[in-house]
Amino acid sequence: MSTQSIDTGPAFLLPALARPAYLMCSPRFYNVSYIINPWMEGNLHTSSHSRATKQWQHLYEALAEIADVHLVDPQPGSPDMVFTANAGLERNGIVVLSSFLHVERQAEEEHFRQWFQRAGYNVLELPREVPFEGEGDALFSLDGEYLWVGYGQRTAQASHPFLQRAFDVEVISLHLIDPRFYHLDTCFAPLEEGFVLYFPEAFDRASLDRIEAFYSPDKRVVVAEQDAVRFACNAINVGQTILLNEVSTELVERLRLAGFTALSIPLDEFLKAGGAAKCLVMKILPVA
Ligand code: ARG
């Protein structure tokens, strides 16, 4: 893909191009090798490589049925690289690369940079001292007019004006106040048809007001704590389908009433590192 070939207007009119694309990374070197979030505590080196591989493969196959999946090569020494949501944020061929808060993940930046540059994306970077963790903390509204961006755990609020300029969107900042929900995509998911899936307790009052001003009560799928800690909000939504970790039948039923088919895929091996379905993918413009 070259920068000149990006033509987003007509793409929306062509059914062949309507299939969304995602970037994933095999869990070949996945492991809980350090502790940078509360989920990793007590889980050092406890993940089973064969179970993690099976669970990842299951997610890959389910996603490949409804979307194009591209792969970036895993790298030794970067056990969290499997969580490609943290590679960066992409829109219309522009990628803002992540600037990881923790030194443990900073080696990933170069690997992701190379993949995006080789694929023809225009890669923008933040200064080292401004942490930004990609799609893990930044999610576009359905119409692409707004960008919801988390701060307070990993991503710094100082990155928000940069994102606003890079993508020419209005940024809505959301303050994350619970260390268990340290990335926005662990507690908030804009869905098709104007719905939102979220765990209210992860946000401060002012941020909740912003969410509630945007989504009317009938469009909010509020997740209870028992499902939130199973990473229910860490959901991949393609059309009517939602791929997510195993959650309560009650939540699956509420999603069904909202028009969605929720497909539960066990991802507990990745929960040990603080990630589930959405963390394992990054939405990208189709790569030629
Ligand atoms: N262990 C990884 C970290 O703490 C998990 C990243 C999960 N990714 C996400 N998009 N929430 O950075």
Side-chain angles (χ1 to χ4, degrees), residues 133-144:
E133 298 205 353
E135 211 181 65
D137 263 329
L139 297 161
F140 285 105
S141 65
L142 196 63
D143 59 10

Side-chain angles (χ1 to χ4, degrees), residues 30 34 36-37 40 80 83-86 100 102 105 108 133 135-137 154 182-186 231 234 270 272-276 278-281:
Y30 169 66
Y34 44 74
I36 56 169
N37 70 51
M40 299 173 105
D80 272 337
F83 299 114
T84 52
N86 301 124
F100 284 97
H102 296 291
R105 294 200 66 183
E108 295 175 41
E133 298 205 353
E135 211 181 65
D137 263 329
R154 296 289 183 85
Y182 59 93
H183 278 141
L184 183 63
D185 71 358
T186 64
F231 272 48
N234 199 243
F270 298 99
K272 293 175 180 172
K278 168 68 190 61
C279 303
L280 292 166
V281 309

